[in-house]
Amino acid sequence: MIYFRKVLCLGIIFSFLEYKPQLSKHKIDSLQTDVFTKLLRSGELKQIISQEKICLEVARKQDYKKGKIRGNINIAYALTLLKKNKMSLDFLEIAKKELEKEDDDNLLAYLYFAYGINYNSLNMHSQAIRSFDIAFAYAQKIEDKKLREKRLYGIYDWKRNSFQVLGMMDSVYSNEKKCMQSPMPMLFITIANRHFQKKNIDSAEFYINKANELLFKKEIPIEGKANVLRAFGKLYIRKKQYAKALNYLFNSL
């Protein structure tokens, strides 16, 4: 079923891209939002970059500024997840220059959010938090409620991670509370890891199971599924059930 969905998704993309000179602004928007999200969930990061480069080429020819800006940020986002931070930051700088004369709160929030995850990935957590704060200020002004809440949740989630690394636990708990409105697996796994540190194995297992339940309730990116499997591997190591642990860890890989 997963294979079928992936083939169907790629088929839709290639049907768009085969006729790239005829891509309308509406189709570019669809590729850069809906299809981008689907590819991100399935972990097709290289496919995202290929798609966005084509969208960028067409957007430049049409002088479609929003398509150019969003394309550069989407590529930067994928490159960050591939740990190619230098290249990612280069694309963000291009998008930032394009946005200097624009007044688009959604794209500005997305830009600084992408800067934030870059700095987080580079362990520059104070800088990451500053970028997330700028993203937050723009995100609050997004008129579309669903889009605004999605962007704000992402900011809370990543800020939580940076605060955790910096040991600023009051800020961690504050952001965790906000994330509970629409939790993702890593939220519960982080809480489980704190219980592991205190050797509260039963409490850790409780939160890992809560993370696992989300896989059946929401559309979770493939990275989230891998994180849950790895958490179960860690749990069974602590329980000294090593065969089970290996099974979960290999499945996570």
Side-chain angles (χ1 to χ4, degrees), residues 232-233 236-237 239-251:
F232 274 118
Y236 285 110
I237 288 171
K239 288 187 168 189
K240 299 184 179 180
Q241 297 180 32
Y242 300 116
K244 259 188 174 181
L246 279 172
N247 184 50
Y248 278 109
L249 292 171
F250 280 125
N251 277 311

Side-chain angles (χ1 to χ4, degrees), residues 24 66 76 87 89 91 102 114 146 157 198-199 221 232 235 243-244 246 249:
S24 66
K66 185 178 285 188
M87 289 176 64
L89 289 166
F91 277 96
E102 298 295 310
K146 188 176 179 181
D157 198 34
K198 297 174 183 177
K199 298 184 180 179
F232 274 118
L235 173 67
K244 259 188 174 181
L246 279 172
L249 292 171

Side-chain angles (χ1 to χ4, degrees), residues 215-227:
L215 302 184
F216 303 96
K217 295 178 181 178
K218 301 173 73 171
E219 287 191 59
I220 302 297
I222 196 166
E223 181 186 6
K225 296 173 184 178
N227 289 336

Side-chain angles (χ1 to χ4, degrees), residues 188-240:
F188 292 126
I189 292 169
T190 301
I191 297 171
N193 284 334
R194 290 206 296 268
H195 285 290
F196 276 133
Q197 290 171 0
K198 297 174 183 177
K199 298 184 180 179
N200 297 332
I201 305 303
D202 289 344
S203 295
E205 184 171 11
F206 171 81
Y207 282 103
I208 292 170
N209 282 325
K210 285 183 76 69
N212 189 49
E213 287 169 10
L214 292 176
L215 302 184
F216 303 96
K217 295 178 181 178
K218 301 173 73 171
E219 287 191 59
I220 302 297
I222 196 166
E223 181 186 6
K225 296 173 184 178
N227 289 336
V228 171
L229 290 166
R230 189 170 69 250
F232 274 118
K234 186 174 183 177
L235 173 67
Y236 285 110
I237 288 171
R238 297 299 178 94
K239 288 187 168 189
K240 299 184 179 180

